[in-house]
Amino acid sequence: MRPVPSGVVLALDAGGSTTRALVLDPAGHPLGRAASGPGNPSAVGVEAALVSVREAVSQALAGAGAAVADVRSTVLASAGSDRLVPRETLIGHLGLDPGAPFRRVSDLLAMFHSAADTDTGAALVAGTGSVAARVRGGGLERVVGGNGWLLGDAGAGFWIGREVARAVTDDLDGTGAVTALTPALLAEFGLSDDRRPREGRAFVLGEIVDLVHAAEPVRLARLAPACFTAAAAGDSVATAIVAAAQEELAVLVRAVEGPGPLVVGGGVWRRSAQGPLAPGLRAALTGRTVLPAEDGLLGAASLALRALGLPTAPLRALRGTGRPA
Amino acid sequence: MRPVPSGVVLALDAGGSTTRALVLDPAGHPLGRAASGPGNPSAVGVEAALVSVREAVSQALAGAGAAVADVRSTVLASAGSDRLVPRETLIGHLGLDPGAPFRRVSDLLAMFHSAADTDTGAALVAGTGSVAARVRGGGLERVVGGNGWLLGDAGAGFWIGREVARAVTDDLDGTGAVTALTPALLAEFGLSDDRRPREGRAFVLGEIVDLVHAAEPVRLARLAPACFTAAAAGDSVATAIVAAAQEELAVLVRAVEGPGPLVVGGGVWRRSAQGPLAPGLRAALTGRTVLPAEDGLLGAASLALRALGLPTAPLRALRGTGRPA
């Protein structure tokens, strides 16, 4: 056995809404944790992302009573941002030892390792977007979905929110069924239910269309929780949207079938798993070992320890205890 | 009978890509025509729209050998722009006599009157977007669709283009069928077909996703013609998209059923009408009098003549002769 090194290891999960940092001792025990703002350059730009990452690192190290010079190994998990920030820029920006192992991995791969103890299996994330991957030999063998809100991400938060808004416009112009999603959307948008005709359509319908097109499209994802709530209360339009979303997720699950566990995560996944699953998704999951993961932080920690040849078993105790930050 | 007035009448169709102007004598005979750039304020902004409208008016009047002081009646057709430019601003900007009749009408209503000789019926436009209306008593009784690219406009150019891009990403990541739309899209985007794996997916797939999300979403409409071409050549994926688009248009047609003719227009409609119609659309059109219209210019002319109590019969001779500009 190699001697256990001194110092600490650093795990980072830089997401589109939150950046998480975890500092561990070489035996895999957590010493410090922190969270900051968005750390994904493609979501908020390079400058803002670097600020978030540095803030999380500083706070987690402070909590651990450690300095940046003590970091022996770093793994940063993020989605598709590797083209935007050169590795050397990140290392320099954080003040890390250029000679210590530093690895960037996809957020999918990190999430897989957050819950799985093998190098073979699959992962599915359904949050604002949706994406799945087959993992083999510790790398991404095949990625499906995740093509962004305009083309892909079917069955995830933006997709559900857009279906909600469409169902409401169909309700208001009479081409679709009456649904509880309409009052829910009006409440979310702060609009009163004024259906007096104006140039051949309900006044409030024009207001909704204007508001939706004036905002960032991906903001429609905020309507997804109302859809799950309305479905749970028995609204048939909302129930159909949730079922259609799960059938879309089933396509991703089937596309990454194979040996090993399926690690699942993301807010839409968690919300879906609370209710009855649609037949296609239930069938796609049959016979598979499904392991839930909160995010990629524990996986990044596991990979950071492995980069030094250190055991990762102590991390298992941290699983399923909620987000470690 | 009233005496025939001197002077001219002015018809305008201010669209998202082209503004058309037509100057007629009081007997309804065309004297001058012109076309200029985008005249819809919600598409290009108020300033640019006003410039286009004034340019088309000046050129059409010059062609007619008339001055702006000769205009006795004006009708301007445009889509949903009435909130952006006050009527008085337009009249002042064009230098029109404030005492002469000036009316703004929806582009749908103008298109209806371009082809129909009654005040009752329906209209369907399928261009970049899709919208339908029932016309009654010369006004819009009910409008369906037309909720913009993000929520609505199903079955029209943007919608088809997005389905094309989705089909291509599904082809490239293996979740969908192989389709001739893939080489067509790569040619349109100027990309080479590099499918070497990069982080678990084909390299060119990442390039497509980046390009699509970097451009204005509505630009996807430029992929629609390739879909009709591939469908005509027998590609099953393209054929399914065209059929699905027509079923969406059938929903709009059914929503505006009733007495009177159905006036139809828009590039996607014209292209669709060249091939076999999907069963749902064929059924929705059965028993209805379908009248094609190029745009709203002749309808605006008809309404401008009617505002002075003048007959509109001479306009019929201008129908179906291609765009009068």
Side-chain angles (χ1 to χ4, degrees):
Chain A
M1 268 188 70
R2 313 183 191 194
V4 171
S6 62
V8 297
V9 306
L10 174 61
L12 287 160
D13 185 357
S17 51
T18 310
T19 299
R20 299 174 204 283
L22 178 61
V23 173
L24 307 103
D25 68 20
H29 300 117
L31 298 174
R33 296 157 176 175
S36 61
N40 188 320
S42 50
V44 292
V46 171
E47 289 306 313
L50 286 175
V51 167
S52 294
V53 171
R54 185 154 62 180
E55 185 187 330
V57 169
S58 303
Q59 291 183 6
L61 284 170
V68 69
D70 299 324
V71 177
R72 297 281 168 266
S73 170
T74 302
V75 170
L76 167 66
S78 64
S81 57
D82 57 328
R83 278 168 296 190
L84 294 173
V85 187
R87 167 197 169 87
E88 291 68 30
T89 302
L90 260 170
I91 292 173
H93 183 80
L94 296 174
L96 294 167
D97 175 4
F102 179 96
R103 184 178 172 198
R104 270 193 298 201
V105 299
S106 121
D107 55 341
L108 263 175
L109 195 61
M111 204 190 74
F112 176 77
H113 287 294
S114 285
D117 295 316
T118 87
D119 277 343
T120 298
L124 166 73
V125 176
T128 301
S130 60
V131 63
R134 267 221 67 75
V135 177
R136 190 166 167 174
L140 294 176
E141 183 184 39
R142 183 186 186 203
V143 175
V144 292
N147 291 327
W149 61 267
L150 186 49
L151 298 183
D153 290 351
F158 167 77
W159 188 97
I160 292 172
R162 186 179 53 199
E163 292 305 304
V164 167
R166 283 180 175 161
V168 169
T169 57
D170 289 351
D171 176 2
L172 289 172
D173 77 9
T175 55
V178 173
T179 168
L181 293 170
T182 300
L185 181 144
L186 294 179
E188 177 71 32
F189 281 25
L191 295 172
S192 55
D193 192 354
D194 181 353
R195 304 198 190 183
R196 281 174 292 182
R198 184 172 186 282
E199 291 211 323
R201 64 174 80 204
F203 177 75
V204 71
L205 177 52
E207 290 192 301
I208 293 170
V209 169
D210 287 351
L211 280 175
V212 165
H213 286 83
E216 277 292 300
V218 82
R219 288 269 297 147
L220 282 174
R222 74 184 192 276
L223 298 173
C227 191
F228 284 105
T229 301
D235 184 81
S236 62
V237 173
T239 301
I241 293 173
V242 167
Q246 294 186 353
E247 296 295 347
E248 295 288 347
L249 298 181
V251 172
L252 297 183
V253 170
R254 286 195 299 268
V256 296
E257 66 188 357
L262 173 69
V263 177
V264 291
V268 164
W269 170 268
R270 283 190 286 275
R271 195 72 196 256
S272 286
Q274 291 169 14
L277 292 184
L281 184 55
R282 203 164 53 232
L285 294 172
T286 299
R288 298 184 79 156
T289 303
V290 177
L291 304 175
E294 291 284 339
D295 53 40
L297 195 57
L298 290 180
S302 174
L303 294 169
L305 289 165
R306 287 165 65 172
L308 299 175
L310 297 168
T312 62
L315 294 177
R316 287 178 207 161
L318 302 177
R319 287 180 191 156
T321 58
R323 281 215 172 79
Chain B
M1 267 187 71
R2 311 182 192 197
V4 172
S6 61
V8 297
V9 304
L10 173 61
L12 287 160
D13 185 357
S17 51
T18 310
T19 299
R20 299 174 203 285
L22 178 61
V23 173
L24 306 104
D25 69 20
H29 299 117
L31 299 174
R33 297 157 175 176
S36 59
N40 188 322
S42 50
V44 292
V46 171
E47 288 306 313
L50 286 175
V51 167
S52 293
V53 171
R54 186 155 61 181
E55 186 187 330
V57 169
S58 303
Q59 291 184 6
L61 283 170
V68 69
D70 299 323
V71 177
R72 297 280 168 268
S73 171
T74 302
V75 170
L76 167 66
S78 64
S81 58
D82 57 328
R83 278 167 298 190
L84 293 173
V85 187
R87 168 197 169 88
E88 291 67 30
T89 303
L90 261 169
I91 291 173
H93 183 80
L94 295 173
L96 293 167
D97 175 3
F102 179 95
R103 185 180 173 196
R104 270 192 298 200
V105 299
S106 121
D107 56 341
L108 262 174
L109 194 62
M111 203 190 74
F112 176 77
H113 286 294
S114 285
D117 295 316
T118 88
D119 277 344
T120 298
L124 167 73
V125 177
T128 301
S130 60
V131 63
R134 267 220 67 75
V135 178
R136 190 167 164 175
L140 295 175
E141 182 184 40
R142 183 184 186 204
V143 176
V144 293
N147 291 327
W149 60 269
L150 186 49
L151 298 183
D153 290 350
F158 166 77
W159 188 96
I160 292 172
R162 185 180 55 200
E163 292 304 304
V164 167
R166 282 180 176 161
V168 169
T169 58
D170 288 351
D171 176 3
L172 290 171
D173 76 9
T175 55
V178 173
T179 167
L181 294 170
T182 300
L185 181 143
L186 294 180
E188 177 70 33
F189 282 24
L191 295 172
S192 55
D193 193 356
D194 181 353
R195 304 198 190 184
R196 281 174 292 182
R198 185 173 186 282
E199 291 212 320
R201 63 175 81 204
F203 177 75
V204 71
L205 177 52
E207 290 191 301
I208 292 170
V209 169
D210 286 351
L211 281 175
V212 165
H213 286 84
E216 277 293 300
V218 82
R219 289 268 297 147
L220 282 174
R222 74 184 191 275
L223 298 173
C227 190
F228 284 104
T229 301
D235 184 81
S236 63
V237 173
T239 300
I241 293 173
V242 167
Q246 294 186 353
E247 296 294 347
E248 294 288 348
L249 298 182
V251 172
L252 296 183
V253 170
R254 287 195 298 268
V256 296
E257 67 188 358
L262 172 69
V263 177
V264 291
V268 164
W269 170 269
R270 284 189 285 273
R271 194 74 197 252
S272 285
Q274 289 168 15
L277 291 184
L281 184 55
R282 203 165 52 231
L285 293 172
T286 298
R288 297 183 79 158
T289 303
V290 176
L291 304 176
E294 291 284 339
D295 52 41
L297 194 57
L298 289 180
S302 174
L303 293 170
L305 288 166
R306 285 164 66 172
L308 299 176
L310 297 170
T312 61
L315 295 177
R316 288 177 206 162
L318 303 177
R319 288 180 193 157
T321 57
R323 281 212 172 80

